[in-house]
């Protein structure tokens, strides 16, 4: 297998007629500016606002899935679906760019239907390990005053609430793992970055766009990013990472919807 096809590696020269490094660099910056790079900058601004606001971080809340049209459920549903669909546009752009270089589209990063059993089984295992430790880290960081209170959902009690939460979780997983792991590692490898530098960039980016949650969210997601990069390099597929991320978020979103206000250990506001 050629270097350019190895996850997170590659000489940067590619086949004859492949995009030059300057084009690959520009395209990578554009993809990030349209997706999680912009989210990282937004999260940084939000974090600065939270830190400089009177009162501790744990007395402030970060709401992940909020209503966009309170009291108007059908309009709210339209906004929810619009937000989920448009958030996936960068994934479509990545698929197009990988098809353009004749890499096979998203198959080049292992996001396809070739190994569904492998992806799901590995994803369940990853989610089981990360889910519980992530919850403990969040609770500890909030108790220490290093994290905002994360409110996974604040949707009205309507029939579409749970399906929208599940769709939102899947959207988060697909966007983050395809862009921040599969695509970014491939491009950084083609641009000549060392495997360690690419790992650091991917995990730092993941932590950065979670800064709106506080210091705990930043470092917790950085650690998750390191693990996901290592697993991607081992398996050559983002499929298991997408499955794991989706399961973690589904449990967080739906679990909060079911348990909030009914158990004392789960912070709500």
């Amino acid at each position: 297998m050629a270097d350019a096809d190895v996850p997170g590696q590659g000489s940067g020269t590619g086949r004859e007629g492949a995009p030059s490094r300057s084009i690959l660099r520009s395209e990578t910056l554009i993809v990030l500016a349209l997706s999680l790079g912009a989210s990282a900058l937004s999260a940084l601004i939000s974090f600065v606002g939270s830190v400089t606001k009177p009162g501790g971080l744990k007395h402030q809340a970060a709401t992940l899935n909020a209503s966009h049209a309170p009291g108007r459920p059908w309009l709210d549903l339209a906004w929810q679906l619009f937000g989920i669909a448009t958030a996936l546009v960068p994934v479509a752009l990545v698929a197009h760019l990988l098809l353009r270089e004749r890499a096979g589209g998203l198959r080049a990063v292992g996001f396809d239907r070739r190994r569904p059993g492998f992806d799901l089984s590995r994803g369940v295992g990853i989610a089981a390990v990360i889910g519980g430790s992530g919850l403990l880290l969040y609770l500890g960081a909030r108790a220490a005053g290093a994290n905002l209170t994360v409110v996974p959902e604040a949707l009205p009690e309507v029939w579409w609430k749970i399906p929208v939460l599940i769709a939102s979780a899947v959207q988060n997983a697909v966007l983050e793992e395809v862009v921040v792991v599969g695509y970014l590692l491939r491009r950084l490898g083609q641009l000549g970055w060392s495997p360690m530098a690419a790992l650091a960039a991917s995990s730092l980016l993941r932590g950065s766009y979670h800064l709106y949650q506080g210091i705990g969210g930043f470092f917790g997601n950085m650690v998750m990013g390191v693990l996901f990069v290592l697993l991607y390099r081992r398996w050559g597929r983002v499929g298991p990472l997408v499955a794991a991320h989706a399961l973690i978020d589904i449990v967080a979103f739906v679990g909060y919807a079911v348990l909030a206000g009914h158990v004392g250990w789960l912070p709500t506001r």
Side-chain angles (χ1 to χ4, degrees):
M1 183 163 57
D3 284 348
D5 295 326
V6 178
Q9 299 182 23
S11 64
T13 56
R15 298 180 299 274
E16 181 180 356
S20 67
R21 288 196 180 193
S22 61
I23 290 176
L24 292 177
R25 187 178 299 109
S26 297
E27 116 182 350
T28 303
L29 291 174
I30 290 170
V31 169
L32 293 179
L34 292 173
S35 58
L36 295 164
S39 297
L41 181 57
S42 173
L44 175 60
I45 296 171
S46 176
F47 176 69
V48 171
S50 297
V51 169
T52 56
K53 186 176 180 180
L57 289 179
K58 69 178 181 180
H59 299 299
Q60 302 176 50
T63 303
L64 306 188
N65 294 282
S67 174
H68 296 302
R72 306 179 70 183
W74 286 103
L75 182 62
D76 201 349
L77 174 60
W79 278 118
Q80 299 293 337
L81 296 178
F82 172 79
I84 291 169
T86 54
L88 290 173
V89 170
V91 177
L93 175 58
V94 165
H96 167 75
L97 294 171
L98 293 176
L99 282 171
R100 186 196 63 183
E101 67 175 270
R102 300 180 182 178
L106 295 181
R107 183 172 182 172
V109 298
F111 187 57
D112 51 36
R113 294 177 291 178
R114 285 179 296 171
R115 305 180 68 185
F118 177 90
D119 293 345
L120 184 58
S121 62
R122 298 303 188 278
V124 169
I126 299 168
V129 171
I130 292 180
S133 57
L135 176 60
L136 291 176
L137 175 62
Y138 160 67
L139 293 174
R142 181 182 178 276
N147 227 70
L148 284 76
T149 298
V150 177
V151 180
E153 67 86 20
L155 297 177
E157 296 297 331
V158 289
W159 65 269
W160 49 259
K161 176 177 180 174
I162 300 302
V164 161
L165 290 175
I166 293 173
S168 177
V170 173
Q171 170 255 299
N172 289 341
V174 172
L175 175 64
E176 294 187 35
E177 306 316 327
V178 168
V179 173
V180 178
V181 178
Y183 175 75
L184 184 59
L185 290 181
R186 180 181 180 87
R187 285 294 181 256
L188 293 182
Q190 291 171 320
L191 290 170
W193 288 47
S194 70
M196 184 61 69
L199 180 150
S202 176
S203 58
L204 180 61
L205 176 58
R206 187 187 295 267
S208 297
Y209 59 75
H210 286 94
L211 253 179
Y212 67 91
Q213 299 178 9
I215 297 296
F218 173 75
F219 284 108
N221 279 281
M222 272 194 64
V223 173
M224 176 177 167
V226 170
L227 175 62
F228 273 27
V229 168
L230 295 176
L231 291 176
Y232 174 64
R233 285 177 173 163
R234 178 181 178 86
W235 296 327
R237 297 183 58 77
V238 299
L241 310 182
V242 171
H245 193 151
L247 287 170
I248 291 169
D249 280 6
I250 288 171
V251 170
F253 296 170
V254 177
Y256 184 90
V258 172
L259 297 177
H262 300 288
V263 293
W265 55 265
L266 183 61
T268 54
R269 287 290 179 181

